[in-house]
Amino acid sequence: MPELSLLTWTVGIAALVIGILAGHFGWGKRWPGSLSKLHPDYLTGLDYLVTEQPDRALDMFLKLMDANADTIETHFALGSLYRRRGEVERAIRIHQNLLAREELAPEHREQALLALAQDYLRAGLLDRAEGLFQQVSEVPRLRASALDSLRGVYERQHEWQQALDVYRLLARIKAAPPCLVAAHYMCELAALAIERGESDTARRLLRGARAEIAPFPRAAVLRAQIAERDGELGLAIRLLRTALREAPKLMQEELPHLLRLVAPDARDAVLGELVAQAESRDLDELKHLVFAAISAELTDAAPLRAPIEKIFAQDATLQSVWRSSPGQFDAERSDARRGDAQRIAHEIGALLAHAEKYRCNECGFAGRNFYWHCPACHSWDSFEPYAIVKLG
Ligand SMILES: [Zn+2]
């Protein structure tokens, strides 16, 4: 049994044993002189534990533990513990065991249904989770919690309109997450509308997103796609410049897009402005621009030469590569140094193509692709590019 799982069991079984004893003797009653009245199955359960048969032990203890007012919280605490530990099947058994008891009070039945729905969500059984969350959302005291979880179910299924509808219900009871989330739902819907060629619908949705939150760079990027398709290149360029100014983290994704739209003779002017903008802020932003330029094979662009050399000389990861380059501190050999910078840039570019470029600042999930919605923890807008070259 893995170490974490063993810890879970230690804590879980301690809770169960306390629960059994509490149910058996009753809290607050005088403690009996001996434990000889314990049901023999209790000792059998302990024996299962000792012989490392945790599921049989759990069955035995659940059978023994009365779901009365004294022990009900122990059931819920244990179920929640298992779910958090990822041992969802055990959590499901605990909550199903509760629901099978006819004497269960209505408020505990509702709570058990909510807990079981959360188990199903964690297990990826989305249809079952959806049905139970809908059912529980009719209970006023559990409505906010059930609706918020239902929103999560629709997010996982990419049912963005339903997620938005539930968001509106939550807003009505003042339990909605930040408006950024609603803006992303509308952007998801707008992206689908753009794919279908429904520009009017997409524009309306993007206006809605910007009404939720502004500035909102994602809406600008999508609006630029529509403008580009409509042949409004000037507008598309302005929108992408705006998006990159507001969200430099989009540089890797959108710099190539922007440069495709500008005329070849205007490229260096645009790059020069981006360099000036990054330098006026901080070194990390200049790094994002340099890495994006390297990925886009722009290392020969005149405005980028000095920033590339600057970043190579200052970045801790790249410093060793840079120092090994002959003549880098020799002012007389500036051409050789430039050649080295170009060579290193190409090598870094090849490495970047296979490197992790982004990381979720909520859960640490890292990958080569940018996501607005973290595939691991489902946070919105949590992806940031590495400010260092992070290789694999
Ligand atoms: Zn995450």
Side-chain angles (χ1 to χ4, degrees), residues 167-180:
Y167 181 97
R168 300 287 186 225
L169 293 176
L170 280 164
R172 237 181 266 168
I173 56 172
K174 299 193 178 345
C179 48
L180 171 89

Side-chain angles (χ1 to χ4, degrees), residues 360 362-363 365 374 376-377 382:
C360 170
E362 291 291 330
C363 74
F365 177 88
C374 176
C377 72
S382 58

